[in-house]
Amino acid sequence: MIGVFSEDANEITYLLNKVKLIEKKQFGEMVLYVAVLNNTKFVIADSGYCKVNLGAAAALAHYLYKLDHIIGVGDCGCLRSRGANPGDVAIAETSRQYDVDYSAIGYQPSLVVGLSQPQYPADEALVALAQEQATALEIPFIVSNFGSADRFLADGDEFYGLSQEFGFDTVDTETGALGEFAFINSIPYVYVKGVSNFGDADAAAMYEEYRHMAYEAACKVVYQMLNVLTGGGGGCTCTGGDPMSIPINISTYTEMTKTQIFEMLAVTPIARLCVAENGQPYAVPMAFRMKVRGNSIMFCLYSRAGGHKMQCITQNSKVCLEFDWMTENGVLSVVVTGKAKICHGNFTAACNKDLSAIEVTADSITGRIYPLC
């Protein structure tokens, strides 16, 4: 079951208003809500503030519901030099607890005694999903490293020094604790937080002014992620039962909007990779995963090492990806042009243990809607 964690009543209320609540369990100040979205149950945990409460809520939710994905939502402080604005979203790529310090007895700062590492990587697929949904919603975002402590950081010089020492650029209370729990229990996780302040002398005033804007942005992204993970497809009422939140008029030939393009990419399972060898086109259907980093969009595909398309890419890195989706009265088509790079590594799948990754960086993405004749 998916577990969503928040420490703020406003965030909990926002999410509960969009789903069907079927059960509420209270344990002291902690509350676990079991809700349904797209006929799929998931749990929302109102943990309360600080790391101990969050860890206890995570343990309780996992014990009762056997969590298979963890998503955190909230607000954070962001290093001003990252260029994010209040109301933008920060998506955790890694997290750590920077207030953990056993260095006096020989441990690396921020390393929890008994663990093998101080930093907890978020799940790549969940990070990519958060980026896709933020992009579809046209909410600006950054992918960042989080540093967590039971404190509200309001000193710009200290923030900069900590970022230099530990390599994080966003701060909060909870992400490192949830990251540790997910790491220990081998559960995929990600945290999505709205930027409410810059962790400097103005942090407290900014927090009061922007925290509602921040949590609303983060909640919008998390809700769309839940919609995808529970089978809703992130929003296009297309053939096959994957609902789209945006109505599609296919009575005439139409250019697709950016939001429509990303909603379609969220539900389309196959990309057609088009390469060329000596002027001869060659196309093949492939599964894919989309990654968004800042203004760059990348598509990752996996292929048997040494195949024909790999040879073509070696000779000519310019490629095209085509995605399509049939509806009752028309066709949606998205075309991506860009350059491909082959990444050799230890990629495996159940059907093949000798895979290479093809990374396509998009130069242009266009979409069109065609009515059926």
Side-chain angles (χ1 to χ4, degrees):
M1 186 181 288
I2 301 168
V4 179
F5 290 84
S6 171
E7 74 284 354
D8 188 273
N10 292 306
E11 296 156 8
I12 299 293
T13 301
Y14 181 99
L15 294 173
L16 288 177
N17 284 340
K18 290 183 169 291
V19 298
K20 180 181 179 181
L21 177 64
I22 61 173
E23 185 180 43
K24 175 182 176 181
K25 292 185 177 181
Q26 186 144 2
F27 304 87
E29 296 300 315
M30 298 176 194
V31 185
L32 301 182
Y33 301 91
V34 179
V36 173
L37 181 63
N38 300 315
N39 297 315
T40 302
K41 291 182 180 179
F42 69 100
V43 60
I44 301 176
D46 183 355
S47 64
Y49 286 87
C50 296
K51 295 190 295 182
V52 171
N53 286 335
L54 183 64
L60 186 61
H62 188 43
Y63 174 77
L64 292 174
Y65 302 111
K66 306 302 179 190
L67 303 181
D68 52 25
H69 292 80
I70 290 176
I71 302 173
V73 61
D75 75 281
C76 65
C78 179
L79 199 66
R80 191 181 289 271
S81 61
R82 275 304 306 266
N85 295 309
D88 292 357
V89 162
I91 301 166
E93 186 169 42
T94 68
S95 65
R96 69 167 71 224
Q97 300 180 76
Y98 70 88
D99 59 348
V100 172
D101 189 354
Y102 290 92
S103 58
I105 55 174
Y107 288 90
Q108 179 182 352
S110 84
L111 176 64
V112 174
V113 176
L115 297 186
S116 60
Q117 61 192 59
Q119 188 164 289
Y120 315 114
D123 180 71
E124 289 188 1
L126 289 177
V127 172
L129 178 61
Q131 294 177 80
E132 290 166 12
Q133 299 312 309
T135 301
L137 291 164
E138 299 185 346
I139 296 175
F141 67 88
I142 60 171
V143 178
S144 63
N145 300 312
F146 272 74
S148 300
D150 275 333
R151 59 178 299 200
F152 185 93
L153 184 59
D155 185 319
D157 291 337
E158 183 182 6
F159 192 173
Y160 178 77
L162 289 167
S163 72
Q164 294 298 299
E165 180 179 1
F166 294 109
F168 58 74
D169 42 24
T170 42
V171 289
D172 71 345
T173 302
E174 304 84 16
T175 303
L178 198 66
E180 179 190 340
F181 178 85
F183 175 75
I184 291 171
N185 291 280
S186 301
I187 303 172
Y189 91 98
V190 72
Y191 237 110
V192 179
K193 293 217 161 189
V195 175
S196 65
N197 66 88
F198 296 132
D200 55 15
D202 298 323
M206 289 186 67
Y207 172 76
E208 290 300 325
E209 182 175 356
Y210 295 115
R211 64 190 180 99
H212 294 291
M213 181 193 302
Y215 86 69
E216 185 172 350
C219 284
K220 285 180 179 179
V221 174
V222 168
Y223 173 73
Q224 286 301 105
M225 293 174 68
L226 287 169
N227 199 27
V228 173
L229 291 170
T230 58
C236 176
T237 305
C238 304
T239 304
D242 290 307
M244 239 169 144
S245 62
I246 296 177
I248 299 295
N249 179 4
I250 313 186
S251 60
T252 59
Y253 169 90
T254 310
E255 297 284 338
M256 293 176 69
T257 66
K258 182 178 179 181
T259 298
Q260 289 171 342
I261 287 172
F262 281 98
E263 286 205 338
M264 199 199 91
L265 292 176
V267 299
T268 304
I270 296 298
R272 291 172 176 82
L273 172 67
C274 306
V275 297
E277 182 182 34
N278 299 322
Q280 176 63 52
Y282 176 75
V284 60
M286 299 182 71
F288 73 96
R289 189 175 73 200
M290 184 172 68
K291 294 183 178 181
V292 184
R293 291 192 178 276
N295 294 323
S296 297
I297 300 175
M298 180 185 298
F299 296 84
C300 298
L301 311 96
Y302 296 92
S303 172
R304 180 175 59 85
H308 180 61
K309 56 185 166 295
M310 311 296 270
Q311 299 174 18
C312 294
I313 291 172
T314 301
Q315 295 180 18
N316 181 2
S317 64
K318 293 183 178 180
V319 301
C320 173
L321 296 173
E322 193 277 335
F323 310 82
D324 52 62
W325 192 270
M326 288 288 296
T327 74
E328 294 181 355
N329 57 352
V331 179
L332 285 67
S333 175
V334 172
V335 175
V336 176
T337 59
K339 292 185 178 179
K341 180 178 69 173
I342 298 172
C343 300
H344 300 288
N346 296 319
F347 306 109
T348 62
C351 58
N352 198 324
K353 296 182 183 297
D354 184 22
L355 299 178
S356 293
I358 301 172
E359 294 184 349
V360 178
T361 301
D363 293 328
S364 71
I365 302 178
T366 58
R368 293 175 176 84
I369 300 170
Y370 301 90
L372 294 177
C373 297

